[in-house]
Amino acid sequence: MSSVRSDLRQRRAALESEWSRWVPELRAARRAPAGKAPLRPEVTDSWVRSLHTVDPGVGSAPVTDGGAVRPRWADSPLRRPVSDLADELNSIADDAGFVAGVTDESGTLLWTCGGRVMRRRAEQVNFAPGGRWDEPAMGTNALSLALRTGRPSAVFSAEHLVAALHGWACYCAPIHAPDGRILGVLDLSTTWDRSHPLAMSTVRSLVSTIETRLRADFGTGLRTGLRTDLRAGVRLSCLGGAGQVVRAGARLRLRPRQLEILTLLALEPEGYPPERLRDALYGERPVTASTFKAEVSHLRRALGGGVATRTYALTTPVDCDAVEVLRALAAGDTEGALTRYSGPLLPQSEAPGILAWREHLEVAVREAVLTSPVPEHALTYGARAPHDAEVHQHALRVLPPHDPRRALAAGRLSTALRD
């Protein structure tokens, strides 16, 4: 034990010696000689603060709560909006050679994604769920600066305090709650040789989308701890994925055909005569009446009897994301429609009725974007429609001349025109 204490004292003395050497140099570095770029004040100030708590030779970020952050992520108000964007985030990170991460307000990583190679590299410095990246824990980095300043931040290579991060370039933006509180940070990181001038614009656009969805969630009582009204009824999510139904807080196991029936009934509250619903599901395919009725009966049992018998219609309240998009559009609320429109209606379905509603929703949302003078609408929709050159052109038309997000829109347009 005495030898351990001796080693700790020696290490502390060595660090204090380094502090006394580095701090004056860092403060002087703000006023670089002619021909050399000065270090940014926020970087040098962060180094000065960090050297009192962080060893620049540390190999990785410390772990919070033993790395067990799943419960914290489950209860985080960021989980829903980030999960809605998970496919897009993973695609961006994988295609560009980045790793993406989301922290809570303490700087603890709760969620990450990216390609296998980049994730393995990131895990070597504990850029993984449970890793703590605030300034007292990991010194100067983009995450810690974004948390401290409340503004987007980028830190490149040797600007990081910790030497193990000198091979990285990191781009971050804080995520604010509707009341202004910082809920966490979105980070895109990569090796210094893969850094990209559009990375910061991408981060800011993604955070804008997350904050828009947060405003919608908070406004409808979906934030953590206020889900009682959802659990009292049925929630149908049918946009952008395979579809999911939750009743009384539990997920219902429905077959694809039953999800199609529920979606059609939610979109047409007046209901369907049996023959018309059958045509909307199967079209010209030869399907027996008993097969069709069995699907409806199974859905009725799953909903606790919530489907009428003669004219098939819902008799129990169903909250549906596609219906919410249509209501927002009818009210002229393009932002609300975009917040809820997470992708095509049941994209795996080939049922004629679903195909018709899918096209209707896609056209309606796109037209609302193209007639909106708000740049964020075109940027948000453009992130989901990378090949839609007209949307990217509209974004450039409505963005102010010196808005840095013009670079993002121009890059998307260039890619769309090449395809």
Side-chain angles (χ1 to χ4, degrees), residues 236 238-240 259-272 276-277 279-281 320-327 329-330 341 343-347 349-366 381:
L236 166 62
C238 52
L239 295 174
L259 272 170
E260 292 168 347
I261 296 171
L262 181 57
T263 299
L264 290 170
L265 296 181
L267 286 165
E268 296 207 24
E270 297 300 318
Y272 286 79
R276 180 167 167 251
L277 180 58
D279 289 342
L281 289 171
C320 174
D321 52 0
V323 173
E324 290 166 355
V325 169
L326 293 171
R327 286 176 183 161
L329 290 172
Y341 187 71
L345 181 73
L346 295 180
S349 172
E350 296 183 359
I354 296 296
L355 292 174
W357 273 110
R358 184 188 302 157
E359 182 178 3
H360 176 80
L361 281 159
E362 289 176 345
V363 170
V365 172
R366 184 175 183 272
Y381 188 84

Side-chain angles (χ1 to χ4, degrees), residues 7-49:
D7 288 344
L8 288 174
R9 284 195 296 269
Q10 291 176 9
R11 185 167 184 77
R12 181 174 179 81
L15 279 174
E16 289 174 345
S17 175
E18 289 295 287
W19 297 340
S20 64
R21 179 175 67 84
W22 283 338
V23 169
E25 293 180 4
L26 286 167
R27 286 175 173 153
R30 296 183 187 178
R31 301 178 297 277
K36 292 186 179 180
L39 288 177
R40 292 177 289 153
E42 63 265 34
V43 172
T44 56
D45 288 348
S46 176
W47 271 61
V48 171
R49 290 189 302 268

Side-chain angles (χ1 to χ4, degrees), residues 117-142:
V117 173
M118 288 304 298
R119 280 191 290 109
R120 284 185 176 177
R121 285 189 177 184
E123 287 166 0
Q124 291 174 5
V125 292
N126 200 25
F127 189 90
R132 185 177 164 191
W133 287 80
D134 59 306
E135 193 175 87
M138 202 55 180
T140 309
N141 63 82

Side-chain angles (χ1 to χ4, degrees), residues 227-301:
R227 297 175 181 155
T228 54
D229 47 345
L230 268 187
R231 292 180 177 177
V234 176
R235 177 71 186 177
L236 166 62
S237 301
C238 52
L239 295 174
Q244 176 176 292
V245 181
V246 176
R247 177 173 178 250
R251 182 171 179 175
L252 298 183
R253 296 185 178 276
L254 299 180
R255 291 193 291 267
R257 191 65 72 192
Q258 292 142 20
L259 272 170
E260 292 168 347
I261 296 171
L262 181 57
T263 299
L264 290 170
L265 296 181
L267 286 165
E268 296 207 24
E270 297 300 318
Y272 286 79
E275 196 62 34
R276 180 167 167 251
L277 180 58
R278 182 175 170 180
D279 289 342
L281 289 171
Y282 303 105
E284 299 298 323
R285 291 178 54 196
V287 175
T288 65
S290 60
T291 298
F292 167 58
K293 289 180 179 180
E295 298 283 13
V296 176
S297 296
H298 185 98
L299 176 62
R300 183 182 291 114
R301 287 194 299 272

Side-chain angles (χ1 to χ4, degrees), residues 98-147:
F98 280 70
V99 61
V102 174
T103 76
D104 62 11
E105 71 279 4
S106 75
T108 298
L109 275 167
L110 301 181
W111 179 91
T112 60
C113 73
R116 180 172 55 87
V117 173
M118 288 304 298
R119 280 191 290 109
R120 284 185 176 177
R121 285 189 177 184
E123 287 166 0
Q124 291 174 5
V125 292
N126 200 25
F127 189 90
R132 185 177 164 191
W133 287 80
D134 59 306
E135 193 175 87
M138 202 55 180
T140 309
N141 63 82
L143 281 167
S144 67
L145 285 179
L147 280 173

Side-chain angles (χ1 to χ4, degrees), residues 366-416:
R366 184 175 183 272
E367 286 302 309
V369 169
L370 290 175
T371 57
S372 170
V374 181
E376 286 75 11
H377 296 165
L379 291 170
T380 299
Y381 188 84
R384 304 171 191 164
H387 305 297
D388 196 329
E390 188 177 357
V391 169
H392 306 321
Q393 289 170 336
H394 179 65
L396 288 171
R397 281 195 299 271
V398 296
L399 279 164
H402 302 295
D403 193 308
R405 293 173 295 175
R406 292 183 64 86
L408 175 62
R412 289 172 176 172
L413 176 59
S414 176
T415 300

